[in-house]
Amino acid sequence: MSASHTTEPYDLIVIGFGAAGLSSALSFAEATEGREKPARIAVLERSGKAERGGATRWTGAFLRITQDRQLDTDWAEHVGRVSGGLADIDYCRTVERETPQTLDFVEKHGVEIAFEDFPLPHTFAGGTPSMTPPASPRGGGASIVEHLGAALEDDPRVDIRYETEALRLSTSDEGVVDGVLVRTADGLTQRLSGRAVVLACGGFEGNTEMLTRYVGDKACDLPLIAPGIANNRGDALRMALELGADTAGQFDGIHAEPVDTRSQQADAVLYGFSTGIFVNGRMQRFFDEGMDTWDNTFEHVGYEIWKNQEQEAYWIADAKTLAIPGILNALLSDIPPEQADSLDELADKLGIDAEALEKTVAEFNAAVGPGEFDPTRRDGKATVGLTPQKSNWAVPVDAAPFIGVPLTAAVCFTYGGIRTDLDARVVTPSGTAIPGLYAAGEATGLFYHAYPPATSVLRSLIFGRLAARHIAAQQTV
């Protein structure tokens, strides 16, 4: 394929306008400020300006940090445990080390980090269940996109190229990455020359062909958790593999979340499910809702709904759940739960089999064991002789009003991606860095078996900055 023409070289080309790409472009701009010859930076975005920001734009962007602004001290070990030793723990330690400086970076550009109360415990502080308010940017990931994006828009050294699709990396005769072949909105191709390229355009969750190839059967049944990730087409992975890059992360693994099927809103996730029960389309329980705190289980229930429950599930609870202060804040949908004075009426509102639901609820209620119900900690109040067991927060569903939410699983991101070193350089299977090529964010693989949450945006910001730092150090003029 021939390109229409070649532009004057950029010092940096960043592919992607989410957290990783914005962090990389802006950090490089700051690192090269004041140089006699101004640096030239290009940021490429598949979407138009109104939809810019990929997955970052739509996420609530929980941050797994303590109130003293450190990464959860258990996170690296947690990743190691759930991955069975497969994950790169040095990478995780780098996230831990760089967290405070990265928070300072985004706050300097107007992103406000807030600690807001949440109605159920999480394990974001040392792995111990805690009611400490979790952190997130005020305004979610959209705040990161708009504040960092505005800083780039105000910089005359930066070209933001919307509706621009990256097709292929180019290399010199010696194998140094020296540019990108792109297709613009008019369908024409163009080669952009660059001294370094950062791949920051997400995973392959927006590409059904790649999802089916790697994740397996029924991948086509996975809705996207937000519209922005439709642009995550696996471009980074495809282009890097063409140059012999290595991979990391579990390629049949995905981060899926249970979302409200009634809602058209992005990220309409149900987090506050611990005190109710899940049933599938046949009105059978299929999951231990109290196996752990919500942060360690919501991904697993999402995956189970997709993989084994035909993408249909319902969450059922009662007045005891409604009595938990702020519990509806743990349902991110714009539509409140269905509510009724009887299970029969609730089933009618949900369009499900009332007799079968009542039978399942009666069996569950009869199996509830002794103990004091305490939604603020793992209370050990479990069922007896029931499969699947409920290990904590097992209270009878028997007090009106009854509430319910219809659920399906939506894909948020893919686990498999490009392997990098600790400077965000893309490496080959031997560990050799490919000159001029970097990657950050969900384009890079890390997780196996489970995603210990509230770190996706954080690691994207961090490794975007590390890529920029390394590139700027290599380019002294």
Side-chain angles (χ1 to χ4, degrees):
M1 184 184 296
S2 61
S4 57
H5 65 279
T6 301
T7 64
E8 180 184 346
Y10 288 100
D11 296 286
L12 175 63
I13 300 173
V14 176
I15 303 174
F17 204 89
L22 291 167
S23 175
S24 182
L26 189 52
S27 295
F28 182 79
E30 292 178 349
T32 57
E33 198 166 5
R35 289 186 178 177
E36 184 176 347
K37 182 181 179 182
R40 298 187 69 237
I41 303 163
V43 183
L44 315 184
E45 170 63 286
R46 258 183 176 266
S47 78
K49 183 175 180 178
E51 294 81 32
R52 67 185 186 177
T56 304
R57 182 178 192 86
W58 302 97
T59 179
F62 278 123
L63 301 172
R64 197 181 185 102
I65 58 173
T66 59
Q67 291 190 311
D68 60 357
R69 312 176 71 74
Q70 303 292 319
L71 184 72
D72 170 21
T73 55
D74 182 60
W75 184 70
E77 285 77 11
H78 190 161
V79 174
R81 289 193 302 271
V82 299
S83 73
L86 295 173
D88 184 344
I89 300 304
D90 289 336
Y91 181 108
C92 298
R93 291 292 185 205
T94 302
V95 174
E96 184 175 34
R97 184 190 72 233
E98 295 290 330
T99 289
Q101 303 95 303
T102 299
L103 296 175
D104 291 344
F105 166 73
V106 296
E107 287 183 304
K108 179 180 70 174
H109 290 286
V111 177
E112 182 183 354
I113 306 300
F115 291 83
E116 298 182 346
D117 287 336
F118 198 79
L120 296 171
H122 58 80
T123 57
F124 293 171
T128 302
S130 168
M131 292 296 293
T132 301
S136 62
R138 196 175 298 281
S143 175
I144 294 171
V145 172
E146 294 311 314
H147 282 95
L148 273 60
L152 291 173
E153 288 173 324
D154 290 341
D155 193 326
R157 299 170 297 165
V158 179
D159 292 338
I160 302 175
R161 294 172 170 251
Y162 296 110
E163 298 181 345
T164 300
E165 174 187 359
L167 300 177
R168 186 188 311 143
L169 299 167
S170 63
T171 60
S172 69
D173 291 341
E174 294 79 23
V176 178
V177 172
D178 61 6
V180 185
L181 183 69
V182 302
R183 180 180 285 122
T184 52
D186 57 10
L188 301 178
T189 59
Q190 177 183 10
R191 182 179 178 273
L192 306 180
S193 298
R195 298 173 67 188
V197 174
V198 176
L199 304 172
C201 47
F204 52 88
E205 55 275 0
N207 185 331
T208 304
E209 184 275 330
M210 289 183 75
L211 274 179
T212 303
R213 188 190 335 159
Y214 290 121
V215 177
D217 295 345
K218 301 189 291 185
C220 62
D221 294 330
L222 279 164
L224 304 177
I225 200 165
I229 64 175
N231 290 313
N232 292 0
R233 303 280 303 174
D235 295 333
L237 179 64
R238 173 181 52 78
M239 293 189 294
L241 288 177
E242 289 173 352
L243 299 187
D246 197 12
T247 59
Q250 181 178 346
F251 271 77
D252 63 346
I254 56 171
H255 179 52
E257 302 184 12
V259 298
D260 185 350
T261 60
R262 303 167 302 165
S263 177
Q264 299 300 310
Q265 175 179 285
D267 210 31
V269 184
L270 172 66
Y271 290 127
F273 54 78
S274 304
T275 60
I277 64 171
F278 287 117
V279 294
N280 60 22
R282 299 178 299 281
M283 299 300 100
Q284 300 165 334
R285 283 185 64 249
F286 59 89
F287 192 81
D288 180 354
E289 305 89 352
M291 64 187 296
D292 206 338
T293 52
W294 66 268
D295 52 303
N296 292 325
T297 51
F298 77 107
E299 174 188 63
H300 297 288
V301 73
Y303 186 87
E304 173 67 20
I305 291 170
W306 166 66
K307 192 68 174 177
N308 298 313
Q309 306 302 327
E310 300 176 341
Q311 277 290 50
E312 182 182 5
Y314 302 87
W315 177 68
I316 308 295
D318 72 353
K320 290 182 284 298
T321 290
L322 278 175
I324 298 170
I327 191 62
L328 293 185
N329 294 333
L331 172 61
L332 304 191
S333 174
D334 55 339
I335 303 173
E338 300 295 335
Q339 185 167 320
D341 291 330
S342 69
L343 283 174
D344 183 75
E345 182 187 350
L346 180 64
D348 184 63
K349 289 187 174 183
L350 292 171
I352 57 180
D353 185 331
E355 184 178 352
L357 175 63
E358 289 174 340
K359 181 176 183 291
T360 294
V361 170
E363 290 173 349
F364 172 80
N365 291 348
V368 170
E372 183 179 351
F373 171 55
D374 185 351
T376 68
R377 61 181 180 86
R378 285 195 293 253
D379 62 6
K381 185 170 173 54
T383 56
V384 178
L386 189 67
T387 302
Q389 180 187 26
K390 184 165 184 179
S391 302
N392 292 282
W393 309 297
V395 289
V397 180
D398 60 2
F402 299 92
I403 57 174
V405 179
L407 300 166
T408 195
V411 62
C412 186
F413 61 81
T414 45
Y415 284 2
I418 303 163
R419 178 184 162 210
T420 67
D421 66 12
L422 302 184
D423 291 314
R425 297 182 297 177
V426 175
V427 298
T428 68
S430 67
T432 302
I434 298 175
L437 186 60
Y438 298 75
E442 290 169 5
T444 63
L446 174 62
F447 302 110
Y448 298 82
H449 308 312
Y451 159 57
T455 50
S456 182
V457 168
L458 190 57
R459 80 178 184 105
S460 298
L461 292 167
I462 285 169
F463 274 84
R465 293 184 73 233
L466 292 175
R469 183 187 304 172
H470 193 270
I471 295 164
Q474 302 301 304
Q475 299 179 7
T476 55
V477 293

